[in-house]
C-alpha cells in the first residue's frame, strides 16, 4: 500500500516512520529543514522502544510529485487540517482512506468540509513524541497506538486493511466501535491538561497532586463532557472520573505538546481546545467558566505567537 503522511512531527514522524521501516511505500509531505535533513540522512526516530532510521519512498513539499494514495494520514496541527485536506485532493483515488490524527474534537468535520465522506475515517493517536531536531523525532512516552473507525460505526473490510498495515509496522492499531466517543475522550484528556498546564507551567503530575489544580482539571473535563453530550456524542456518565484516573496514571513529569508550544511562544492549538469548548458552549447556552478563564488568560500569548511584533531597528 502507498501511505502518504502529511506532516512529519512527533505524530506523523513516529507512525509514518514505523510504517516506512516495515517496508511499506511511504511518502512524507513536509517542509523546511526537516525536509532537507530527512532527504539527506533519512528519518531518525529515537524511541523508548528502540531507535531506528528509515529511508521513505519519497520526501517532498510538492504535492504534484506524490503518487495516488491508498491511505492518507493527516498529522498536521488542528488549525492546518482544512488546508491539508484541500492539498490531498489530487492524490485521491476511488478507494483512498483519509484519517486525521490530530488532537481536537472537530478535525473530521474540517476534513468533511473539503473531502467527500466516502474517503474519511475518524482517528486519533496516543503517544508522547516531538521533533527533537530537524530530521529527528523523539518518542518518549506512552505505548504508541492509533485508534480509527468508520464514522457510521460500521465494521468494514477497509478497516482491517488499515489495521494490517499498522500491525505490520509494530504499533497498536485499534478499530473503534464508536470513533466519536473515542475522539472526544482523548480530547477531554488533552484539552484538560494542555490549557491548565500552559497556564501554571506545571507538569501533569504536579497539577494532579495539588488539590486546587486537580479540582480545576476536573471542572475543565466536566464542562467538556457537558458540551460533548449536548452535541450528541454518546459519552458515558463515568467519563470525567475515568479521565481523572487516567491523568493520575500519566508520568509525573509529562507535559502536553500544546502546553510546550504556548510556553515556547509558538502558535498552538489553544483555539481548538479550550477555545473550541467556549465557542461551542456559547452556541448551546452551556456555561463553560473554567475553560473560558483558561482560554482568556492564554489568548494574549497565542495572539503574540501568531502575530509577533516586528523587531525594532536601531
Amino acid at each position: 500500500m502507498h501511505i502518504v503522511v502529511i506532516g512529519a512531527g512527533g505524530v506523523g514522524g513516529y507512525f509514518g516512520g514505523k510504517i516506512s521501516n516495515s517496508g511499506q511505500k511511504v511518502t512524507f509531505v513536509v517542509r523546511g529543514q526537516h525536509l532537507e535533513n530527512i532527504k539527506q540522512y533519512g528519518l531518525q526516530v529515537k524511541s523508548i522502544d528502540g531507535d531506528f532510521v528509515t529511508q521513505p519512498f519519497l520526501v517532498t513539499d510538492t504535492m504534484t510529485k506524490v503518487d495516488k494514495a491508498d491511505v492518507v494520514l493527516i498529522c498536521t496541527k488542528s488549525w492546518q487540517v482544512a488546508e491539508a485536506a484541500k492539498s490531498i485532493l489530487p492524490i485521491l483515488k476511488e478507494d483512498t482512506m483519509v484519517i486525521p490524527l490530530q488532537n481536537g474534537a472537530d478535525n473530521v468535520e474540517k476534513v468533511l468540509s473539503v473531502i467527500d465522506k466516502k474517503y474519511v475515517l475518524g482517528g486519533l493517536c496516543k503517544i508522547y513524541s516531538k521533533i527533537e531536531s530537524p530530521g529527528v523525532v523523539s518518542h518518549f512516552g506512552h505505548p504508541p497506538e492509533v485508534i480509527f473507525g468508520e464514522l457510521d460505526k460500521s465494521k468494514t473490510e477497509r478497516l482491517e486493511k488499515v489495521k494490517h498495515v499498522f500491525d505490520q509496522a509494530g504499533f497498536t492499531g485499534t478499530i473503534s466501535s464508536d470513533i466519536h466517543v473515542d475522539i472526544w475522550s482523548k480530547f477531554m484528556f488533552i484539552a484538560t491538561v494542555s490549557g491548565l498546564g500552559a497556564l501554571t507551567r506545571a507538569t501533569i503530575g504536579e497539577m494532579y497532586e495539588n488539590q486546587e489544580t486537580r479540582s480545576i482539571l476536573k471542572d475543565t473535563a466536566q464542562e467538556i463532557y457537558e458540551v460533548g453530550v449536548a452535541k450528541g456524542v454518546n459519552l458515558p456518565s463515568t467519563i470525567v472520573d475515568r479521565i481523572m484516573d487516567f491523568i493520575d496514571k500519566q508520568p509525573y513529569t509529562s507535559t502536553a505538546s500544546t502546553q510546550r508550544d504556548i510556553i515556547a511562544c509558538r502558535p498552538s492549538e489553544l483555539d481548538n481546545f479550550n477555545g473550541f469548548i467556549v465557542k461551542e458552549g456559547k452556541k448551546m447556552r452551556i456555561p463553560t467558566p473554567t475553560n473560558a478563564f483558561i482560554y482568556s488568560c492564554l489568548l494574549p500569548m497565542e495572539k503574540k505567537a501568531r502575530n509577533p511584533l516586528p523587531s525594532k531597528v536601531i
Side-chain angles (χ1 to χ4, degrees):
M1 295 181 79
H2 181 208
I3 317 299
V4 177
V5 183
I6 311 297
V11 169
Y14 178 82
F15 291 109
K18 289 286 285 185
I19 296 169
S20 173
N21 204 45
S22 71
Q24 292 281 357
K25 177 181 176 180
V26 174
T27 294
F28 283 102
V29 180
V30 63
R31 299 172 181 170
Q33 193 59 46
H34 203 41
L35 163 68
E36 298 304 322
N37 283 28
I38 296 172
K39 274 186 174 180
Q40 186 169 356
Y41 306 110
L43 174 64
Q44 181 179 352
V45 177
K46 296 181 179 180
S47 171
I48 56 177
D49 296 329
D51 301 347
F52 63 90
V53 178
T54 187
Q55 297 285 347
F57 170 77
L58 177 66
V59 186
T60 183
D61 59 359
T62 307
M63 195 61 72
T64 55
K65 296 180 179 179
V66 180
D67 293 344
K68 298 288 186 180
D70 295 298
V71 179
V72 180
L73 301 179
I74 302 181
C75 302
T76 61
K77 294 293 188 180
S78 292
W79 73 85
Q80 299 167 319
V81 170
E83 178 186 356
K86 289 178 184 176
S87 76
I88 67 175
L89 288 171
I91 64 169
L92 299 179
K93 54 183 184 175
E94 184 62 28
D95 59 351
T96 301
M97 292 169 274
V98 179
I99 312 176
L101 293 181
Q102 296 75 16
N103 294 320
D106 63 338
N107 294 307
V108 165
E109 287 78 4
K110 292 172 184 173
V111 175
L112 291 174
S113 72
V114 178
I115 294 175
D116 190 282
K117 64 181 180 181
K118 72 178 183 180
Y119 296 110
V120 183
L121 302 176
L124 65 128
C125 66
K126 296 182 179 181
I127 189 172
Y128 285 116
S129 58
K130 64 181 180 180
I131 295 178
E132 182 174 293
S133 60
V136 181
V137 169
S138 172
H139 160 224
F140 55 91
H142 204 287
E145 180 181 13
V146 174
I147 302 172
F148 60 102
E150 297 285 358
L151 302 182
D152 64 0
K153 308 178 190 178
S154 62
K155 300 297 182 184
T156 59
E157 184 178 343
R158 68 178 184 171
L159 293 178
E160 296 295 340
K161 291 180 179 179
V162 175
K163 179 173 170 53
H164 179 72
V165 170
F166 293 167
D167 289 346
Q168 291 295 108
F171 58 83
T172 301
T174 302
I175 297 175
S176 172
S177 59
D178 189 333
I179 193 61
H180 304 287
V181 169
D182 286 327
I183 287 171
W184 271 81
S185 299
K186 167 70 183 298
F187 173 67
M188 185 181 294
F189 161 70
I190 199 67
T192 292
V193 298
S194 293
L196 190 61
L199 197 57
T200 61
R201 304 308 202 250
T203 68
I204 291 176
E206 289 168 340
M207 289 189 291
Y208 191 86
E209 74 176 359
N210 180 279
Q211 182 176 347
E212 288 76 12
T213 47
R214 184 167 66 248
S215 177
I216 296 171
L217 288 170
K218 189 168 185 178
D219 290 344
T220 305
Q222 181 64 35
E223 292 173 9
I224 295 170
Y225 167 77
E226 291 170 3
V227 170
V229 169
K231 288 178 69 65
V233 182
N234 192 29
L235 291 167
S237 59
T238 58
I239 188 65
V240 173
D241 288 335
R242 284 161 50 185
I243 291 298
M244 293 301 294
D245 288 342
F246 184 72
I247 292 172
D248 183 31
K249 292 179 173 64
Q250 298 310 295
Y252 186 88
T253 59
S254 296
T255 56
S257 59
T258 289
Q259 173 182 353
R260 297 192 296 272
D261 284 340
I262 292 173
I263 291 173
C265 295
R266 296 189 293 260
S268 79
E269 293 175 306
L270 175 66
D271 274 316
N272 307 99
F273 289 4
N274 306 97
F276 172 77
I277 290 300
V278 172
K279 291 166 189 171
E280 293 300 303
K282 286 179 179 177
K283 289 179 186 177
M284 293 174 287
R285 299 184 179 180
I286 295 174
T288 58
T290 308
N291 280 274
F293 176 78
I294 293 168
Y295 176 65
S296 298
C297 289
L298 293 172
L299 191 56
M301 290 186 65
E302 184 68 20
K303 289 181 176 179
K304 182 178 179 180
R306 291 180 179 275
N307 299 287
L309 295 173
S311 300
K312 188 174 181 179
V313 178
I314 299 177

